[in-house]
Amino acid sequence: MVQSLDSRDSGFEAAFLALLAMKREVDEDVDQAVAAILAEVRSRGDAALIEYTARFDRLELTPATLRITAQEVETAYASCDPELIRALELAAERIRAFHARQVPVDDSFTDAAGVRLGLRWSPVSAAGLYVPGGTAAYPSSVLMNAIPAKAAGVERLVMVVPSPGGVLNPLVLAAAKVAGVDEIYRVGGAQAVGALAYGTGTIRPVDKIVGPGNAWVAAAKRRVFGTVGIDMIAGPSEILVVADRFNDPSWIAADLLSQAEHDTAAQSILITDDAEFGQRVAAAVESHLATLPRAKIARESWDSHGAIIVVPDLEASLPLIDRIAPEHLELAVENPDALAARVRNAGAIFLGRYTPEAVGDYIGGPNHVLPTARSARFSSGLGVLDFMKRTTLLGCDADSLRAIGPAAVRLAEAEGLGAHGLSVALRLNLGAG
Amino acid sequence: MVQSLDSRDSGFEAAFLALLAMKREVDEDVDQAVAAILAEVRSRGDAALIEYTARFDRLELTPATLRITAQEVETAYASCDPELIRALELAAERIRAFHARQVPVDDSFTDAAGVRLGLRWSPVSAAGLYVPGGTAAYPSSVLMNAIPAKAAGVERLVMVVPSPGGVLNPLVLAAAKVAGVDEIYRVGGAQAVGALAYGTGTIRPVDKIVGPGNAWVAAAKRRVFGTVGIDMIAGPSEILVVADRFNDPSWIAADLLSQAEHDTAAQSILITDDAEFGQRVAAAVESHLATLPRAKIARESWDSHGAIIVVPDLEASLPLIDRIAPEHLELAVENPDALAARVRNAGAIFLGRYTPEAVGDYIGGPNHVLPTARSARFSSGLGVLDFMKRTTLLGCDADSLRAIGPAAVRLAEAEGLGAHGLSVALRLNLGAG
C-alpha cells in the first residue's frame, strides 16, 4: 500500500519531513577499487584499459580495436527499424532547436571611466560522454547529453560505451550518429572514465565528462573531478504530479509509474486537492501494474517510496513543491501556467493534462538530465552552458587607470598586499608623469 | 633563482609538462575530523556550534550572541577610514554594474508543432558566504562573493566569519554592509559550514555556500555538497603574464609578485619573446623583493613555482597559454585584443600595459574568484549564474501531443519502458477519439 498523507493532519509535518529525508539510494562502497583502476589507467594507459575490459566486459581488445569504426556505426544505423530512426531524428531535431536558443551572447562595453570590460563564452575543447551498456543503454540519453555539447560548439565529442561480451545496442550507435558524436570507444566502467580524464595512447583526454552510470562510474567521476569538469552525479529519478479531480486517474497513474518503473529507488508523489481522486489514482496504479512489463520494479518503488498527499486546495501545494524541489513536476490542473509561475524549485515543469512527463523524456526538446534529491533548489538540468565557460576581460589605459587605480591601491594597502598596490602605483606615477 | 625555459630547447616539452604538473598544494588530511564536526552540528545545532567556537576561536557565545547585530556593523563601518569606505563603495558600484549585465533572460515560445516551450531562471532562495578570519579576511572577497548573489536576486544572503578571540576586521563588516549582506554570524571553520548547510536553532539553512577558506572549510564544503550547492574549491593563485620587450620590467615584475605574495604555493609565470627582457624582469623582481612587506612569501613562491618562458614570437605563446589555462592572464603587448581573441582557456584576461592584474582584484568590475589549477579549461569565475538555476517548461495540448507523441511511444517501447509509453498512448487515444 502506498503511503497517504493529509496536509491538515497533525502528524503531517513529521511525515512530510520523513518523506523528504527518505534514504533511497544504496551506497555501494567501490571507491577504493575505483581509485586503483584510475591509477592503473593513468600510469599504464591502453594496456590497463584493455586488461580491465577483458576482465569486466569479457572482451579482448587491442589498441586498434578500442575504437568503434565509422563503418560499424553505419552498419548499426542501417540495421535499425526506419520508424525508430525517424523517431530519433525528430527527437534530435527538437532537442537541437531547444538547446540552440541557450547559446549565450558575449558582452563587451566601455564604461564612463573609459575602462573596457567584457565577458566571453567559449566551449570546452573536448567533452566525453559516458553511456552505460546493457539494459540501461538508452539512445534517448545519448541525444540528451550529446546535442547540448554540439550546440555549445564542442569540437571533439567522445563517447564511451561498454559492450559486455561484444554486444552493443545498435540504436545507441544510431543515436550517436544522429547527435554528431565524433569518436566512440567500446569501453566502460571506471577505466573508461580514467581514459577520458587522463588520456591513453589511443584516447586523447577530454576537458569535461558527462553522462549517467553505475556506482563505479559515479565514483570515478567524483575522483577525476578537478582534472576534468563533470556534470552532476544523478540520483534515482523522481516525479511529483499535482492533479485535480478533473483528470483521468488512469493517465495520472501511468505518469506516476513512468518514474517508478525506472528503478526501485525512484520516487513518485501525487499531490491532489481531492482525497477520493487520490484513491482512484491508487486503484489505477494497481490496475496498470497488472500488465506492465516492469511491474516488479515499479511496484517496489511505489510501495516503498511513493506517496499521495491530500491538500485543502492547490494553493497549499506550492510550499510543498518548493520543499520537495522535484526533478520532474507535472501540473495536471486547469490553469497550469498560473501555478507554474509561482514554483521556485523544480528541474522541469510539465504543463497541463496533455503533457505526460514521458513526452519530455524523449521528444519535447528540453533536457531530460535533471537535478535529483532536492538539488533543484540550487542546480539545473543539463544544458548548453554546461559545455561552455566564461572568460572576463578588463582593459585600462593610462587615463582610466588614473580614474580607478587609486582606490585599488588603497584597498590593497588595507589588505596588506604590497605588491598588489605597487603594481598599480608604478603605473599611476608613470601615467601621471 | 627562478626557472627559465626556452620553447626552442629540446628539453622544453618535458620541462613544460613538469611545470603544468607541479604539485603546489599541501594536502592536509582533516576530512575525518571535519566529518565529526559536521555530524555534531547536524544533530546538536547551536550547542555544538557554540562549543566548537569556544574551542577553536576562544570565544564564548550563546544563541543570542551568535549573530552580529546591525548596530555592531554600523559601529564597525563608522570606525573605518572614510577614504577606504569610498574605495569600497566605488569597488562595489563597479562590481555591481558588471554583474548586473549577467542576469539572464528567460525563454518562452511555441513551436511549429504547437508545443509550448520555456526556460526560466530563478535565484536560489538563500545563499551562505564564508569569509575567513585573521590575516586572510579580505573585504574585497566579501564584495566579490556577495554582490553577484544580490544581483541574482538572492533574498537571504548569510555571511559567516570567525572572530578568533572576539577580534573582527571592521572593514570586512563594512564590506558586508556595502554589499547588502542580510545576516552575519561570528562563527567559522567546518562548524560554520555545517550550520549553513543543515541549519541550527538560530541559523536557518541555505541552499548554496560560496567563499574561500582553509583546508577545514574546503573539506566541509566538499562534504555538504549535495545537501547544498557549493562554488569551486579554489587552489593557490596563479598569474601568467605575456609581455614583449616594450614593457617596463619593473611593472611586470610587480605584477608577477602580486600573485606570488598571496601564498608560497602561488605560481607566477612570464612568457616573453625576448630573453634579455626576461632577465631584466627577473632582476626587477629581486629589486622589489628587497622592500616588499610580504617578500618572504613572495620569494618562496617565485623561486619554487615561478618560471620565465622565452618563445620565438608572441604567436608561439598561444598554445602554451591554453595548456596552462591560467586563472589570470595579463597581455602586456602592443595589440592585446588580437591575442586575447585567440585564447581559449583563461579565467580572466587583462589587456595591455596599463591593466595590472591587481586592478581587477579590487576595482575593475569582473569577479576575482576565478578557476585555478588548469580548470579554466572547463570552468568559469564566479558570477550571477552561480546563484541561479534553470527550470524548463513544456506544454502540449491534445493536438500537439498527437503531433509529437507517437515518436515518444516508439522510443519508450524501444527502451523497454512500458509505463512511459503508456502515459503518452493513453492520451493519444483519447486525444484522437
Side-chain angles (χ1 to χ4, degrees):
Chain A
M1 267 300 286
V2 72
Q3 182 178 183
S4 282
L5 309 179
D6 190 309
S7 71
R8 284 156 299 192
D9 287 350
S10 62
F12 175 75
E13 179 62 19
F16 185 72
L17 282 174
L19 194 68
L20 286 185
M22 190 180 274
K23 173 111 183 105
R24 293 182 281 136
E25 244 174 320
V26 182
D27 289 330
E28 227 186 302
D29 193 8
V30 295
D31 192 52
Q32 288 314 308
V34 163
I37 293 170
L38 292 175
E40 286 289 305
V41 171
R42 187 172 201 168
S43 66
R44 298 196 298 117
D46 281 343
L49 183 62
I50 286 168
E51 284 166 29
Y52 287 118
T53 302
R55 191 196 303 176
F56 295 122
D57 294 342
R58 307 170 312 282
L59 183 68
E60 299 292 340
L61 296 174
T62 67
T65 59
L66 277 170
R67 184 160 175 179
I68 296 179
T69 65
Q71 186 51 55
E72 285 176 272
V73 174
E74 291 301 332
T75 304
Y77 182 90
S79 78
C80 295
D81 175 355
E83 280 290 310
L84 270 176
I85 294 287
R86 271 194 290 278
L88 267 188
E89 277 168 353
L90 176 63
E93 187 187 301
R94 295 186 55 85
I95 297 164
R96 205 173 284 127
F98 186 79
H99 286 79
R101 300 169 67 105
Q102 294 173 21
V103 177
V105 287
D106 294 346
D107 192 14
S108 175
F109 64 105
T110 301
D111 70 13
V115 179
R116 295 191 300 134
L117 291 145
L119 183 152
R120 192 175 74 193
W121 289 90
S122 57
V124 301
S125 297
L129 163 53
Y130 191 93
V131 176
T135 54
Y138 293 142
S140 60
S141 288
V142 174
L143 300 185
M144 291 290 182
N145 282 277
I147 290 172
K150 281 295 170 186
V154 172
E155 282 178 10
R156 184 171 159 259
L157 179 57
V158 185
M159 177 170 133
V160 291
V161 55
S163 63
V167 178
L168 265 171
N169 179 350
L171 205 57
V172 162
L173 295 186
K177 174 181 152 81
V178 167
V181 170
D182 298 294
E183 302 169 19
I184 313 177
Y185 298 93
R186 60 185 107 238
V187 291
Q191 60 274 19
V193 174
L196 289 171
Y198 306 124
T200 70
T202 302
I203 305 178
R204 279 181 297 144
V206 301
D207 302 300
K208 174 127 190 177
I209 301 177
V210 301
N214 62 17
W216 294 70
V217 172
K221 280 168 67 181
R222 277 203 191 87
R223 281 200 164 261
V224 299
F225 175 61
T227 300
V228 296
I230 63 168
D231 60 350
M232 69 198 84
I233 306 282
S237 195
E238 313 148 6
I239 190 169
L240 172 59
V241 181
V242 178
D244 59 29
R245 68 192 166 87
F246 303 105
N247 288 282
D248 185 330
S250 168
W251 296 10
I252 301 300
D255 300 350
L256 293 165
L257 289 169
S258 73
Q259 293 310 300
E261 74 175 345
H262 269 300
D263 187 348
T264 56
Q267 183 167 54
S268 303
I269 300 177
L270 170 66
I271 296 184
T272 180
D273 57 353
D274 186 312
E276 201 239 316
F277 175 76
Q279 290 319 304
R280 290 169 63 204
V281 171
V285 164
E286 294 306 316
S287 152
H288 288 323
L289 282 173
T291 58
L292 281 172
R294 294 170 68 93
K296 192 157 176 292
I297 293 169
R299 171 175 297 288
E300 187 174 335
S301 159
W302 178 241
D303 287 351
S304 315
H305 309 300
I308 296 176
I309 301 176
V310 179
V311 288
D313 48 51
L314 293 176
E315 177 78 19
S317 69
L318 278 165
L320 304 182
I321 293 170
D322 281 337
R323 289 173 70 188
I324 294 171
E327 182 189 14
H328 303 102
L329 173 64
E330 215 176 280
L331 299 178
V333 299
E334 198 52 39
N335 189 352
D337 293 52
L339 204 59
R342 297 172 61 201
V343 169
R344 284 175 175 232
N345 302 331
I349 302 181
F350 303 86
L351 300 163
R353 310 192 194 285
Y354 281 88
T355 318
E357 185 277 327
V359 82
D361 277 341
Y362 294 108
I363 202 92
N367 213 287
H368 79 194
V369 180
L370 292 164
T372 57
R374 304 188 61 225
S375 65
R377 286 156 40 243
F378 53 81
S379 66
S380 309
L382 196 71
V384 167
L385 298 188
D386 293 297
F387 297 96
M388 303 189 81
K389 61 220 163 51
R390 302 182 291 271
T391 299
T392 56
L393 296 119
L394 180 68
C396 293
D397 56 17
D399 288 339
S400 57
L401 188 65
R402 204 149 43 222
I404 67 169
V409 174
R410 207 158 278 137
L411 291 166
E413 281 167 3
E415 293 187 353
L417 296 174
H420 282 66
L422 179 65
S423 71
V424 180
L426 284 172
R427 286 163 168 100
L428 288 177
N429 294 338
L430 257 155
Chain B
M1 267 302 284
V2 71
Q3 183 177 184
S4 282
L5 310 178
D6 189 309
S7 71
R8 285 156 297 193
D9 287 351
S10 62
F12 175 75
E13 180 62 20
F16 185 72
L17 281 174
L19 193 68
L20 286 185
M22 189 180 273
K23 172 108 184 111
R24 292 183 281 136
E25 244 175 320
V26 181
D27 288 332
E28 227 186 301
D29 193 8
V30 296
D31 193 52
Q32 288 315 308
V34 163
I37 293 171
L38 291 175
E40 286 290 305
V41 171
R42 187 173 201 166
S43 64
R44 297 196 298 119
D46 281 342
L49 183 61
I50 286 169
E51 284 167 29
Y52 287 118
T53 303
R55 189 194 307 173
F56 294 124
D57 295 342
R58 308 170 310 283
L59 184 67
E60 299 292 339
L61 296 173
T62 67
T65 58
L66 277 170
R67 185 160 174 179
I68 295 179
T69 65
Q71 186 50 54
E72 285 176 90
V73 175
E74 290 302 331
T75 304
Y77 182 89
S79 78
C80 294
D81 175 355
E83 279 291 310
L84 269 175
I85 295 288
R86 271 193 289 278
L88 267 187
E89 277 167 353
L90 176 63
E93 186 187 303
R94 295 185 56 84
I95 296 164
R96 205 172 284 127
F98 186 79
H99 286 79
R101 300 168 68 106
Q102 294 174 20
V103 177
V105 288
D106 294 347
D107 192 14
S108 175
F109 64 104
T110 301
D111 70 12
V115 179
R116 295 190 301 134
L117 292 146
L119 183 152
R120 193 175 73 193
W121 288 92
S122 56
V124 301
S125 297
L129 162 53
Y130 191 93
V131 177
T135 53
Y138 293 143
S140 60
S141 288
V142 174
L143 300 185
M144 291 290 182
N145 282 277
I147 290 172
K150 281 294 169 185
V154 172
E155 283 177 10
R156 185 172 157 258
L157 179 56
V158 184
M159 178 170 134
V160 291
V161 55
S163 61
V167 179
L168 265 171
N169 179 349
L171 206 57
V172 162
L173 296 186
K177 173 181 153 82
V178 168
V181 170
D182 298 294
E183 303 168 18
I184 314 177
Y185 298 92
R186 60 184 107 240
V187 291
Q191 59 275 18
V193 174
L196 289 171
Y198 306 125
T200 70
T202 303
I203 305 178
R204 280 181 297 144
V206 301
D207 302 300
K208 175 127 190 177
I209 301 176
V210 302
N214 62 16
W216 295 70
V217 172
K221 281 168 67 181
R222 277 202 191 87
R223 281 202 162 258
V224 299
F225 176 62
T227 299
V228 296
I230 61 167
D231 60 350
M232 68 197 85
I233 306 282
S237 194
E238 311 150 5
I239 190 170
L240 172 58
V241 181
V242 178
D244 59 28
R245 69 190 166 89
F246 303 106
N247 288 281
D248 184 329
S250 169
W251 297 10
I252 301 300
D255 301 350
L256 293 165
L257 289 169
S258 74
Q259 293 310 300
E261 74 175 345
H262 269 300
D263 186 350
T264 56
Q267 183 167 54
S268 303
I269 300 177
L270 170 67
I271 297 183
T272 180
D273 57 353
D274 185 310
E276 199 239 318
F277 174 77
Q279 289 320 303
R280 289 170 62 205
V281 171
V285 164
E286 295 304 317
S287 154
H288 289 322
L289 281 174
T291 60
L292 282 172
R294 294 171 68 91
K296 192 158 176 291
I297 293 168
R299 172 175 297 289
E300 187 174 335
S301 158
W302 178 241
D303 287 351
S304 313
H305 308 301
I308 296 175
I309 302 176
V310 179
V311 289
D313 48 50
L314 293 176
E315 176 79 20
S317 68
L318 279 164
L320 304 182
I321 293 170
D322 282 336
R323 288 173 72 188
I324 294 171
E327 182 189 14
H328 304 103
L329 172 64
E330 211 176 283
L331 299 178
V333 300
E334 197 52 38
N335 189 352
D337 292 55
L339 204 58
R342 297 171 64 202
V343 169
R344 285 175 173 231
N345 302 331
I349 302 181
F350 302 86
L351 300 163
R353 310 192 195 285
Y354 281 90
T355 317
E357 184 276 327
V359 82
D361 278 342
Y362 294 107
I363 202 91
N367 214 285
H368 78 194
V369 180
L370 293 165
T372 56
R374 303 188 61 226
S375 65
R377 286 156 41 243
F378 53 82
S379 65
S380 309
L382 196 70
V384 167
L385 298 188
D386 293 297
F387 297 95
M388 303 189 81
K389 59 219 167 48
R390 302 182 292 272
T391 299
T392 56
L393 296 121
L394 181 67
C396 294
D397 56 18
D399 288 340
S400 57
L401 188 66
R402 204 148 44 223
I404 67 169
V409 175
R410 208 158 276 137
L411 290 167
E413 282 167 1
E415 292 187 354
L417 295 174
H420 282 66
L422 179 65
S423 71
V424 180
L426 284 172
R427 287 163 168 97
L428 288 177
N429 294 338
L430 256 155

